[in-house]
Amino acid sequence: MNRHDALEKIATRLRIHSLRMTTAAGSGHPTTCLSMAEIAACLFFGEMRFNPVDSEDWGNDEVVFSKGHAAPILWASLAEAGILPLESLMDLRKISSDLEGHPTPRMTWVKAATGSLGQGLSVGAGLAAAMRLGKSPGRVFVVMGDGECAEGAVWEAANAAAHLGLKNLCAVVDINRLGQSDPTMFEHDLAAYQRRFRAFGWDAVTINGHRIDAVSAALANAGKSGKPTVILARTVKGKGVSFLEDKNGWHGKPLKTDELQRALDEIGPFPEVDAAKFVRRPKKAARPKISRNFDFPRTDYTEKTATRLAYGNALRALGKTHEGVIVLDGDVKNSTYAEKFFESFPGRSFQSFIAEQNMVGMGMGFAAKGYLPFMATFAAFLTRAHDQVRMAAYSFSNIKVCGSHVGVSIGEDGPSQMGLEDLALFRPIPGCVVLYPSDAFSAEACLDTAARHRGLCYIRTTRPATPLLYSKNEPFPVGGSKTLRKGENDVATVVAAGITVFEALKAYEGLKKNGITVRVIDAYSVQPLDVAGLRRAAAETGGRMVVVEDHYAGGGLGEAVAGALAGAAAIKHLCIRELPRSGKPDELMDKYGISARHIAAAVRELI
Amino acid sequence: MNRHDALEKIATRLRIHSLRMTTAAGSGHPTTCLSMAEIAACLFFGEMRFNPVDSEDWGNDEVVFSKGHAAPILWASLAEAGILPLESLMDLRKISSDLEGHPTPRMTWVKAATGSLGQGLSVGAGLAAAMRLGKSPGRVFVVMGDGECAEGAVWEAANAAAHLGLKNLCAVVDINRLGQSDPTMFEHDLAAYQRRFRAFGWDAVTINGHRIDAVSAALANAGKSGKPTVILARTVKGKGVSFLEDKNGWHGKPLKTDELQRALDEIGPFPEVDAAKFVRRPKKAARPKISRNFDFPRTDYTEKTATRLAYGNALRALGKTHEGVIVLDGDVKNSTYAEKFFESFPGRSFQSFIAEQNMVGMGMGFAAKGYLPFMATFAAFLTRAHDQVRMAAYSFSNIKVCGSHVGVSIGEDGPSQMGLEDLALFRPIPGCVVLYPSDAFSAEACLDTAARHRGLCYIRTTRPATPLLYSKNEPFPVGGSKTLRKGENDVATVVAAGITVFEALKAYEGLKKNGITVRVIDAYSVQPLDVAGLRRAAAETGGRMVVVEDHYAGGGLGEAVAGALAGAAAIKHLCIRELPRSGKPDELMDKYGISARHIAAAVRELI
């Protein structure tokens, strides 16, 4: 059988699988699979090269299903390629199966979880940049929906891919005209998409997405222009089943059993073809051999230093010993001090400009190819990438995120620039490690800890310079805390982190002068907390605790401690409880109730 | 003096103010003000029409400084227009002054807080749509930076404005070539911007942004094409001061006193001109008289109903009595049930397609003109608009946000679609009201409460249908709770909300059969919590409490309760503690530990 005929038959098989799977599951999105059956067939069994027994083969092409709701046809394609047993397809969406409703890397062929639309192109750009860096001969294909092109994240990625000249990146947009609840903004006006992608620097071709020869030719030509390529494929949602074709109201609806039978009757018999035979093997390629040594030399600090500056120093030092470190910036590298890495390692530095979503999405792509990406911006602006961070968690992505300029202690720039909700953004994510250093030594140690930890980590840094508290090589492990002041007769425990550690120490001195001693704990590991240590401290200090943080009340250190102690101590929580304004750092910390004076008063109220 | 000469002089005065203000403040962004001095002069004293004694005049043109770091020249322009005392400019960034580092509506002429870049165009689109709806003759000007055009949110807004045909919207991009830490992606390639905006359906003109005649003519022509217009202005960062002009490294740096003197010497004497005389007054226009009655008739439910469906019913009913209600959708209106409003009130319904950032940004624009916007999508996808929600808070914006499909109880679609961090997104915001109804009656009541409350509100709705618990007209005020089961000998209190209320009631029945009675509380007002009620319940039930929620551990109901009780009860917190997967709702709720069985076990462990 020639490839063209095989692809026709495979497309039909994929349609049949998608319909059967979703009916068996009782939920899912069959019509969005039907519109891309030829695209999937031509990708997996025509153009892509991959080693079906090794999802990590360095020569593999990669594919990202940005339109994650088309998961059934992804699983079906993997099954046809011999990667999954065909019978497993009927386990779609079962709690016991890795064939989830939307793709996640529980299935190793999936490099990033999708299902929150508009994110796949950034991941694809990151994969493509990583593969170019690592001299993989592979290419990256991103299958997108037309509806998701409304997401701004798509255009951040489009800019980045063109700017980086990622000719090994090819997007295929399945333009089936219909969104979930309405026709899309541009329906079948392919030129509207073409104008946009071309303006953003892409090679953009339009095709009939149901013609095997057209799809195959477009995929084969992708990248020949030297630019990233988008294939704009006119398709019909529900293609192949008359009562589904181009009909609104069928998004996310499986067919009932009788409807399925009618659909299968229309489509005709299940075609005979050994699809796996048509999988094209990759070129031989070896993952580059690079040093991955985590033991970077720490800096000798002798004076007050901002933790953000120490972060920058440590990042550069780590970059020297660990050649897999990649750094991405959102045009604030002179504030986060990522610039130190940029200056030393321009080849592993990626300027993402003011596009935080794409910064995180590309980072996920790098991580999926085994690199160790660090990305930083003002903590406040990480809210822009909240959805990408969330999806990074579902991707089991080994990315390291740093948020600088946290809290009212940034001062005069005002509330829009203050990270006051970043702990509440990262703490809910199961397994996410959140580290919050107070001095330069602990900042370097926290970066060390984050680098070695496998999985999502967040490091919170502070704008103003802070005094030195620790020594050069003191370890700051995940889940630890540091007891800074401890006496026999401590009447309460003050738990602080970052800049408030210094306020707590000031409060300690003031109280001591009045004969009151308190324990002072630096809870640098905000997540996981040192629960045992905090419980012990509470028990030893009369069950009285003050928690003080430069963050809003919800979701930060105070609630973390209250939740962990679960009633084992009376707690006073000092934090930012109103919308702040511009002012000097010290003025603001005092006005909003987190200065030494307020800590001392809280202790007095408790005892 | 003719207007042209006056505008030249005003531009110079604005430059001098900006330099002096930032030097006095010791921080701020003078060079980004210098690049737009002619733009500001031509806007405020050439093209715009506004009534300087009434920021709410319905005939006013509106301006949004999307490049919020140019706040000094905004304040200076208001002062030159006679709105602020000139001497107040020297209070920039002081804690006692409303002249903040980035604009906020503490100054009433500011319609939305800016400073998180790339958001202003959405707000502008919302203002323009609101003004068209309300038949205001005014126009909307959005001043943008070139760097922020990298933000995807800009392109979401660009799509929306063109799609809506907002010819009363004019953006001016101050293309000064330099970002914060690097040159921008396109530097002075104005054609790169022009191609992009034209492809997105805008009229896009390029000019020299330092020529008064060019800026004036472009502003006067804006909108004549019948499309939204962008004026792409080539400018020089630091323009007018030789040692600042087009130099990297001066972003966000004020001049030292001696540098200021050198700069002022170069610029020359402070020009004499009575700028206020050149302010053009608006056309007379009256705010439309519309019914704003909040008393909508509630639905008679008789059977299990999803809270999201009740939300849709209530929204339509409110839309009938309150003609200021506007509804925005992110192409999921058939899931959130906003479609009911769309069907009944197409003129006040805005399809934002899959562009959540723009949906929230436009909502802020509507709110700023006195409308009452409701916007809904899956709670998980509100993470996409986290930064816009954050800025809505700083804008004191009266927007109502609904997140549907929360928690693992959505079932088979899998984690990417589950809202498991939405409470942690909204709860940190000071003043934000968070309501979480459990049945259809309470859902309608919560919508009523949200509509009447002035300020940001979040309503959390559930996918599956839930039994009826309450009666038709029962009120659900902000800060309340409902005690559903109460006895003399309750050994513990179970606090639940939304779907877990029903699990709590099942657990109650099971425990009761074994002679154990517990109190059951529906904490529908997640923020503010009914702290007094919860403390009382804890005290009356042996200081034992179980909190159960369909949300991650961080930042949700459990930590809210733990924080509020501050040690006054021993708490068991049942919530989602690992990354979930696809499955049936009941299976998932049981697997992840929030079903009745787990609640009963937690009670037994406590006693």
Side-chain angles (χ1 to χ4, degrees):
Chain A
M1 198 181 308
N2 69 31
R3 194 178 291 270
H4 179 279
D5 292 349
L7 293 176
E8 294 278 10
K9 289 181 197 293
I10 293 170
T12 300
R13 288 170 68 106
L14 295 176
R15 282 203 168 89
I16 294 172
H17 287 313
S18 301
L19 288 166
R20 284 182 174 156
M21 291 165 73
T22 47
T23 295
S27 64
H29 303 76
T31 57
T32 200
C33 296
L34 298 190
S35 65
M36 61 165 289
E38 284 78 14
I39 293 169
C42 292
L43 269 174
F44 285 93
F45 306 97
E47 185 62 25
M48 278 176 64
R49 294 173 169 274
F50 58 98
N51 177 353
V53 299
D54 184 5
S55 64
E56 303 310 308
D57 190 310
W58 195 249
N60 279 353
D61 287 345
E62 299 285 358
V63 63
V64 178
F65 266 50
S66 189
K67 49 176 288 186
H69 50 301
I73 201 165
L74 170 61
W75 306 139
S77 301
L78 295 180
E80 287 286 337
I83 291 170
L84 301 175
L86 277 175
E87 57 274 20
S88 73
L89 295 180
M90 292 302 129
D91 295 330
L92 176 72
R93 291 173 165 241
K94 285 189 186 159
I95 198 166
S96 55
S97 167
D98 287 342
L99 306 190
E100 297 200 66
H102 291 76
T104 75
R106 290 187 201 273
M107 180 70 61
T108 58
W109 289 85
V110 174
K111 298 299 182 198
T114 53
S116 185
L117 291 168
Q119 298 194 16
L121 198 57
S122 291
V123 175
L127 288 168
M131 287 157 73
R132 185 170 69 181
L133 187 65
K135 300 196 169 45
S136 163
R139 293 155 72 196
V140 180
F141 298 91
V142 180
V143 181
M144 299 168 62
D146 46 354
E148 68 177 315
C149 292
E151 288 285 7
V154 168
W155 302 102
E156 294 184 7
N159 261 338
H163 185 69
L164 293 169
L166 297 173
K167 65 178 180 185
N168 57 342
L169 177 64
C170 173
V172 185
V173 188
D174 174 19
I175 303 179
N176 64 24
R177 197 184 72 83
L178 297 173
Q180 173 176 326
S181 77
D182 260 337
T184 61
M185 190 182 274
F186 306 120
E187 305 203 23
H188 268 143
D189 180 4
L190 269 66
Y193 295 94
Q194 192 172 37
R195 279 195 300 275
R196 285 165 170 76
F197 275 102
R198 283 189 175 159
F200 274 68
W202 285 53
D203 186 22
V205 298
T206 60
I207 61 165
N208 178 333
H210 296 307
R211 288 196 45 188
I212 292 288
D213 52 352
V215 179
S216 296
L219 287 171
N221 283 325
K224 290 194 177 153
S225 64
K227 300 176 184 177
T229 300
V230 61
I231 298 168
L232 302 162
R234 181 188 171 104
T235 63
V236 176
K237 202 162 177 173
K239 174 74 176 179
V241 180
S242 59
F243 57 94
L244 300 177
E245 281 190 359
D246 205 33
K247 297 271 196 308
N248 220 344
W250 273 102
H251 184 97
K253 261 192 209 161
L255 274 62
K256 298 197 190 83
T257 315
D258 58 320
E259 292 167 337
L260 174 65
Q261 195 50 57
R262 276 168 56 211
L264 295 178
D265 289 347
E266 268 195 36
I267 292 173
F270 194 67
E272 284 295 327
V273 57
D274 183 358
K277 260 183 32 189
F278 291 88
V279 172
R280 298 169 74 201
R281 297 303 188 277
K283 294 185 188 137
K284 279 219 159 66
R287 194 178 286 267
K289 285 195 176 35
I290 55 174
S291 159
R292 290 175 186 273
N293 177 7
F294 289 95
D295 298 317
F296 67 89
R298 306 286 176 82
T299 312
D300 285 305
Y301 295 102
T302 55
E303 58 187 20
K304 273 179 100 155
T305 306
T307 53
R308 60 185 169 122
L309 175 54
Y311 169 86
N313 289 333
L315 193 56
R316 176 164 59 187
L318 176 65
K320 206 162 179 178
T321 63
H322 190 312
E323 293 167 348
V325 173
I326 298 290
V327 175
L328 300 110
D329 172 41
D331 191 19
V332 287
K333 64 183 190 298
N334 54 341
S335 292
T336 62
Y337 287 108
E339 67 180 3
K340 292 177 176 290
F341 186 97
F342 270 65
E343 287 159 5
S344 297
F345 309 104
R348 290 187 272 139
S349 299
F350 293 84
Q351 179 53 269
S352 300
F353 301 96
I354 310 177
E356 296 80 7
Q357 297 185 77
N358 187 57
M359 177 176 76
V360 174
M362 280 191 65
M364 289 163 65
F366 277 109
K369 295 304 284 187
Y371 288 95
L372 183 60
F374 281 74
M375 52 211 78
T377 183
F378 284 28
F381 305 144
L382 289 172
T383 53
R384 201 63 149 263
H386 188 166
D387 204 1
Q388 280 76 10
V389 168
R390 186 177 77 87
M391 294 303 291
Y394 298 129
S395 302
F396 315 124
S397 190
N398 189 30
I399 62 171
K400 314 300 164 186
V401 183
C402 172
S404 70
H405 292 68
V406 302
V408 300
S409 69
I410 72 159
E412 292 88 346
D413 268 349
S416 63
Q417 317 294 302
M418 294 170 176
L420 285 162
E421 54 290 285
D422 53 314
L423 294 177
L425 190 164
F426 286 95
R427 280 194 54 252
I429 300 171
C432 179
V433 166
V434 178
L435 302 172
Y436 185 10
S438 55
D439 80 340
F441 290 124
S442 57
E444 295 213 359
C446 285
L447 186 137
D448 183 326
T449 299
R452 290 173 202 267
H453 179 85
R454 177 104 204 147
L456 184 53
C457 285
Y458 175 58
I459 302 174
R460 188 175 210 237
T461 65
T462 301
R463 181 176 173 275
T466 47
L468 298 172
L469 274 181
Y470 298 103
S471 60
K472 188 176 158 189
N473 287 305
E474 183 155 349
F476 281 72
V478 170
S481 70
K482 300 288 178 185
T483 301
L484 296 174
R485 297 289 184 274
K486 183 177 180 178
E488 288 296 304
N489 303 309
D490 293 343
V491 296
T493 299
V494 178
V495 180
I499 193 128
T500 61
V501 167
F502 303 95
E503 298 301 315
L505 292 173
K506 272 185 250 169
Y508 170 90
E509 295 300 334
L511 288 165
K512 197 176 162 198
K513 279 185 195 140
N514 292 289
I516 300 169
T517 63
V518 292
R519 191 153 305 179
V520 178
I521 291 180
D522 173 2
Y524 71 86
S525 179
V526 175
Q527 178 154 305
L529 269 182
D530 177 10
V531 178
L534 291 170
R535 284 185 170 260
R536 201 178 319 120
E540 290 173 6
T541 60
R544 298 178 202 96
M545 202 167 256
V546 175
V547 187
V548 54
E549 62 179 325
D550 197 357
H551 187 275
Y552 283 140
L557 179 64
E559 290 193 351
V561 171
L565 291 191
I571 297 178
K572 287 258 176 207
H573 183 197
L574 307 180
C575 57
I576 312 305
R577 294 193 183 271
E578 56 181 300
L579 298 168
R581 50 162 70 229
S582 291
K584 293 190 200 311
D586 286 348
E587 282 177 347
L588 294 174
M589 289 181 64
D590 196 59
K591 177 179 171 69
Y592 297 111
I594 59 170
S595 63
R597 173 171 81 87
H598 293 281
I599 298 169
V603 169
R604 285 173 190 282
E605 276 177 57
L606 272 179
I607 60 180
Chain B
M1 197 183 309
N2 69 32
R3 194 178 291 268
H4 179 279
D5 293 350
L7 292 176
E8 294 276 11
K9 289 181 197 290
I10 293 170
T12 301
R13 287 170 68 106
L14 295 176
R15 282 201 170 90
I16 294 171
H17 287 313
S18 301
L19 288 166
R20 284 182 174 156
M21 292 164 75
T22 46
T23 295
S27 65
H29 303 76
T31 57
T32 200
C33 296
L34 299 191
S35 64
M36 59 164 290
E38 284 79 14
I39 293 169
C42 292
L43 268 175
F44 286 93
F45 306 97
E47 186 62 25
M48 278 176 64
R49 294 173 168 275
F50 58 97
N51 177 351
V53 299
D54 184 5
S55 63
E56 305 308 308
D57 190 309
W58 195 249
N60 280 352
D61 288 344
E62 299 286 358
V63 64
V64 179
F65 266 49
S66 189
K67 49 176 287 185
H69 50 300
I73 202 166
L74 169 61
W75 306 138
S77 301
L78 295 179
E80 287 287 336
I83 291 170
L84 302 175
L86 276 176
E87 57 274 21
S88 73
L89 295 180
M90 292 302 129
D91 295 330
L92 176 71
R93 293 176 165 239
K94 286 188 186 162
I95 199 165
S96 54
S97 167
D98 287 342
L99 306 190
E100 297 201 66
H102 292 77
T104 76
R106 292 186 197 275
M107 179 71 60
T108 59
W109 289 85
V110 174
K111 297 299 182 200
T114 52
S116 185
L117 291 168
Q119 298 194 15
L121 197 59
S122 290
V123 175
L127 289 167
M131 288 157 73
R132 184 169 72 180
L133 187 66
K135 300 194 168 51
S136 163
R139 293 156 72 198
V140 181
F141 298 91
V142 180
V143 182
M144 298 166 64
D146 46 354
E148 69 176 314
C149 291
E151 287 285 8
V154 168
W155 302 102
E156 294 184 8
N159 261 339
H163 184 70
L164 293 169
L166 297 175
K167 65 179 181 186
N168 57 343
L169 176 64
C170 173
V172 186
V173 188
D174 175 18
I175 302 178
N176 65 23
R177 196 185 71 84
L178 296 174
Q180 173 177 324
S181 77
D182 261 337
T184 61
M185 189 181 274
F186 307 120
E187 305 202 25
H188 267 142
D189 179 5
L190 269 67
Y193 295 94
Q194 193 173 36
R195 279 194 301 272
R196 283 164 172 75
F197 275 101
R198 282 188 175 160
F200 275 68
W202 285 54
D203 186 22
V205 299
T206 60
I207 60 165
N208 178 335
H210 296 306
R211 289 197 43 189
I212 292 288
D213 52 353
V215 179
S216 297
L219 288 170
N221 283 325
K224 289 192 177 154
S225 63
K227 300 177 185 177
T229 300
V230 61
I231 298 169
L232 301 162
R234 182 189 171 103
T235 63
V236 176
K237 201 160 177 175
K239 174 75 177 179
V241 180
S242 59
F243 58 94
L244 300 177
E245 280 189 0
D246 204 31
K247 295 272 197 308
N248 219 345
W250 273 102
H251 183 96
K253 262 193 208 159
L255 274 61
K256 299 198 188 81
T257 316
D258 59 318
E259 292 167 337
L260 174 64
Q261 197 48 59
R262 277 168 56 208
L264 296 178
D265 288 348
E266 268 194 35
I267 293 172
F270 194 67
E272 284 293 328
V273 58
D274 183 358
K277 260 183 34 189
F278 290 88
V279 171
R280 298 170 73 201
R281 296 304 188 276
K283 294 183 188 139
K284 280 221 159 66
R287 194 178 285 266
K289 286 195 175 35
I290 55 174
S291 158
R292 292 175 185 274
N293 178 6
F294 289 95
D295 298 318
F296 65 89
R298 306 286 176 85
T299 311
D300 286 306
Y301 295 101
T302 56
E303 56 187 21
K304 274 179 98 156
T305 306
T307 53
R308 60 186 171 123
L309 175 54
Y311 170 86
N313 289 331
L315 193 56
R316 176 165 59 187
L318 176 66
K320 205 162 181 176
T321 63
H322 190 312
E323 293 168 346
V325 173
I326 298 289
V327 175
L328 300 109
D329 172 41
D331 189 20
V332 287
K333 65 184 189 298
N334 55 340
S335 291
T336 62
Y337 287 106
E339 68 179 3
K340 292 177 175 289
F341 186 98
F342 270 65
E343 286 159 5
S344 298
F345 308 104
R348 290 189 271 137
S349 298
F350 293 84
Q351 179 52 269
S352 300
F353 301 95
I354 310 176
E356 297 80 8
Q357 298 185 75
N358 187 58
M359 177 176 77
V360 174
M362 281 191 64
M364 289 163 65
F366 277 108
K369 295 305 285 187
Y371 289 94
L372 184 59
F374 281 73
M375 54 212 77
T377 184
F378 285 26
F381 306 144
L382 289 171
T383 53
R384 202 63 150 261
H386 189 165
D387 202 4
Q388 280 76 11
V389 167
R390 187 177 75 90
M391 295 303 291
Y394 297 129
S395 302
F396 314 125
S397 190
N398 190 29
I399 62 170
K400 315 299 166 187
V401 183
C402 172
S404 70
H405 292 67
V406 302
V408 300
S409 70
I410 71 160
E412 292 86 346
D413 268 350
S416 64
Q417 318 294 302
M418 294 171 176
L420 286 162
E421 53 290 287
D422 54 313
L423 294 176
L425 190 163
F426 286 94
R427 281 194 54 252
I429 300 171
C432 179
V433 167
V434 178
L435 303 173
Y436 185 11
S438 54
D439 81 340
F441 290 125
S442 57
E444 294 213 359
C446 284
L447 187 137
D448 182 326
T449 299
R452 290 172 202 266
H453 179 83
R454 177 106 203 144
L456 184 54
C457 285
Y458 175 59
I459 302 175
R460 188 175 210 237
T461 65
T462 300
R463 181 177 173 276
T466 47
L468 298 172
L469 273 181
Y470 299 103
S471 60
K472 189 174 157 189
N473 287 305
E474 182 156 349
F476 281 72
V478 170
S481 69
K482 300 289 178 184
T483 301
L484 295 174
R485 296 290 182 274
K486 183 179 181 177
E488 289 298 302
N489 303 309
D490 293 343
V491 295
T493 299
V494 178
V495 180
I499 192 124
T500 60
V501 167
F502 303 94
E503 299 300 316
L505 292 174
K506 272 184 251 170
Y508 170 90
E509 295 301 334
L511 289 165
K512 196 175 163 200
K513 280 185 195 142
N514 292 289
I516 300 169
T517 63
V518 292
R519 191 153 306 178
V520 178
I521 292 181
D522 173 2
Y524 70 86
S525 180
V526 175
Q527 177 155 304
L529 268 182
D530 177 11
V531 179
L534 291 171
R535 283 182 169 263
R536 202 179 318 116
E540 290 173 6
T541 60
R544 296 179 206 96
M545 199 164 258
V546 174
V547 187
V548 54
E549 61 179 323
D550 197 359
H551 186 276
Y552 283 141
L557 179 63
E559 290 193 351
V561 171
L565 292 190
I571 298 178
K572 287 258 177 207
H573 182 197
L574 307 180
C575 58
I576 313 304
R577 294 193 184 271
E578 55 181 303
L579 298 168
R581 49 161 71 228
S582 292
K584 293 190 200 311
D586 286 348
E587 281 176 347
L588 294 173
M589 289 180 65
D590 196 59
K591 178 180 170 70
Y592 297 112
I594 59 170
S595 63
R597 175 171 78 87
H598 292 282
I599 298 170
V603 169
R604 286 174 192 278
E605 276 177 57
L606 272 179
I607 60 180

